[in-house]
Amino acid sequence: MLNPIETIDKLSQEHTATGAELLALLTCEDPFINEALRQKAQAQAQKTFGNKIYLRGLIEFSNFCKNDCLYCGIRRSNKNASRYRLIPAEILECCATGYELGLRTFVLQGGEDFAYDDKRLAEVVALIKKQHPDCAVTLSAGERSPEVYQMWFEAGADRYLLRHETANSNHYEKLHPAELKLATRLECLQNLKSLGYQVGTGFMVGSPFQKLENLVEDLHFLKKFNPHMVGIGPFIPHKDTPFGECEAGSAKLTLKLLSIIRLLLPQALIPATTALNTLLSNGHQQGILAGANVIMPNLSPQNVRDKYNLYDNKKHSGSEAAEGIALLRKQLAELGYEIAISRGDYPGVIR
Ligand code: 5AD
């Protein structure tokens, strides 16, 4: 059953597809079929979440990183990166600003910064939860031991983001230095789930050496792991990395994958990412129309936003968070959507 229309029906009704079916759908260039996929995905998102879009305030708390991922602008060997680390009081201030604007989830994202020691981050999480007991805290701070994940969970962290980047171990090795292994990452993801976190994973679209077959592997991994959140975005080169001359991933393919993921995982929280919005002028809107239901406005202080550069030309409105959210509200209203003032937890059973 390789007819893409039949695959779309199967995805909508049974939320599965075989590798061959997914590959045929991914290679299909027929605009009518691709539009049918988009419509089904948007309808599924609306069935699960209505016309509500959840916001997550992103706080990029440190761009120090001990890792040397070949694609990433904050890799340790990038000597041109201007490094910074927010102190707890600055992080709390970002949360207070976000809270005023109606945000009820704060995402603390940083490189694997050893100086931001594990206890300190636990204290920050506890402080945020104390000041904002009605908010969720999401951490995105890389690979850690089960003990550290547990300490952060006990401090009050609700969710954790750790993209698998690619589900193919050979491909993983082409994107990372030898000390980083896909198996370790998958183990971390499993540990996070076992501890009771809502877990997000995901991958880059069009990363160097990626084949369409790898994307099928990514989709099958997602289906099997069944994460609560899935973040995907196009690869975008950063000039000071070994992949600086590589081509960016395709925004169109990213949108198509968003739709497929929405149908595979109907309850997942799926953001229209900054990377997608960097490649497309109306990327947030297009992401929502393709089945995404989350947007992550940047709450980091203005003076550090230019420094958290995972890739070149990262888009940020340049405006204050308040202005950015007002604009977002308008853009979403044009499409018939509203911003929800709520934590926006996973609607299914958390396991
Ligand atoms: N282009 C796009 N996404 C990137 N990320 C890191 N570097 C890049 C890049 N050059 C993504 C990775 C990581 C997330 C925080 O950002 O997928 O998990």
Side-chain angles (χ1 to χ4, degrees), residues 69-74 109-110 140 161-165 185 202-205 231-238 241 243 275 308-312:
C69 306
L70 278 74
Y71 45 85
C72 185
I74 64 168
Q109 185 173 89
S140 174
L161 303 179
L162 184 68
R163 289 188 179 177
H164 67 281
E165 311 296 359
R185 184 142 293 222
F203 55 89
M204 288 176 287
V205 179
I232 68 164
F235 161 77
I236 303 175
H238 186 295
T241 65
F243 294 157
Y308 197 82
N309 279 338
L310 308 183
Y311 44 81
D312 287 330

Side-chain angles (χ1 to χ4, degrees), residues 11 111 119 132 160 174 187 197 246 251 260 351:
L11 277 169
K119 282 215 181 76
H132 306 289
Y160 204 97
K174 291 186 182 157
E187 208 179 301
Y197 280 96
C246 293
I260 295 175
R351 60 186 137 115

Side-chain angles (χ1 to χ4, degrees), residues 34-46 232 251-263 270-272 276 280 282-293 335 337:
N34 290 333
E35 173 60 13
L37 170 65
R38 186 201 68 71
Q39 285 181 14
K40 291 274 189 196
Q42 187 188 12
Q44 178 61 64
Q46 288 174 337
I232 68 164
K252 202 169 141 197
L253 183 58
T254 305
L255 289 167
K256 191 169 185 176
L257 283 157
L258 275 179
S259 295
I260 295 175
I261 294 168
R262 164 56 63 218
L263 294 177
I270 304 180
L276 179 64
L280 290 179
N282 54 355
H284 282 146
Q285 286 172 305
Q286 291 210 50
I288 298 300
L289 292 173
N293 73 311
L335 307 178
Y337 287 89

Side-chain angles (χ1 to χ4, degrees), residues 40-108:
K40 291 274 189 196
Q42 187 188 12
Q44 178 61 64
Q46 288 174 337
K47 189 171 166 200
T48 313
F49 301 101
N51 74 333
K52 296 282 188 286
I53 300 299
Y54 297 130
L55 300 188
R56 304 356 189 149
L58 183 63
I59 301 165
E60 299 153 330
F61 69 90
S62 166
N63 72 350
F64 283 89
C65 192
K66 71 173 173 67
N67 287 332
D68 221 15
C69 306
L70 278 74
Y71 45 85
C72 185
I74 64 168
R75 65 200 302 264
R76 71 160 181 260
S77 53
N78 181 8
K79 300 286 178 277
N80 293 331
S82 158
R83 306 284 170 174
Y84 73 90
R85 184 176 286 137
L86 300 183
I87 59 168
E90 288 173 305
I91 298 177
L92 287 166
E93 205 177 303
C94 296
C95 295
T97 307
Y99 192 89
E100 285 295 303
L101 297 171
L103 301 187
R104 296 294 179 266
T105 291
F106 303 112
V107 181
L108 270 48

Side-chain angles (χ1 to χ4, degrees), residues 23 103 107 144 153 172 218 270 290:
L23 200 55
L103 301 187
V107 181
R144 309 289 172 131
F153 190 73
Y172 197 92
D218 288 322
I270 304 180

